[in-house]
Amino acid sequence: KSTIDTIVTPLAKLKPGETGKLVYVLTREHPQLHKLMSLGVVPGVTVTVHQVFPSFVIQIEETHLALEEEIAEDIYVRRAR
């Protein structure tokens, strides 16, 4: 039995050490979206997951960010192959 992975997936589905290219951020809270953008969370950047518990720790270029899982669910990436 084979499975097909989706091309775009929530950041929360990545495991530590996995990398993806940010595609879009889905949030209805504009202040949260603006804050993420000001921290460099914008489409096209490469995101590396370092930790998933107790919070998500990601790296974008030289910046490390700690995110709540709910926020990581709103950030969609294309997994690096």
Side-chain angles (χ1 to χ4, degrees):
K1 185 176 180 180
S2 64
T3 59
I4 299 173
D5 289 336
T6 56
I7 295 172
V8 176
T9 188
L11 178 64
K13 301 281 189 230
L14 271 61
K15 296 177 180 65
E18 286 192 296
T19 299
K21 188 165 291 265
L22 201 147
V23 180
Y24 62 90
V25 178
L26 181 67
T27 180
R28 289 171 188 79
E29 298 176 35
H30 292 290
Q32 178 181 311
L33 179 60
H34 291 298
K35 183 173 183 180
L36 289 171
M37 290 176 70
S38 72
L39 294 170
V41 181
V42 294
V45 298
T46 299
V47 179
T48 303
V49 176
H50 287 286
Q51 173 184 311
V52 296
F53 185 82
S55 61
F56 273 78
V57 177
I58 62 169
Q59 180 176 350
I60 297 175
E61 295 177 359
E62 301 301 315
T63 303
H64 287 79
L65 298 172
L67 306 172
E68 296 171 10
E69 185 173 357
E70 296 79 36
I71 295 172
E73 289 283 351
D74 290 340
I75 299 171
Y76 286 79
V77 298
R78 177 179 285 128
R79 284 181 205 253
R81 297 281 175 204

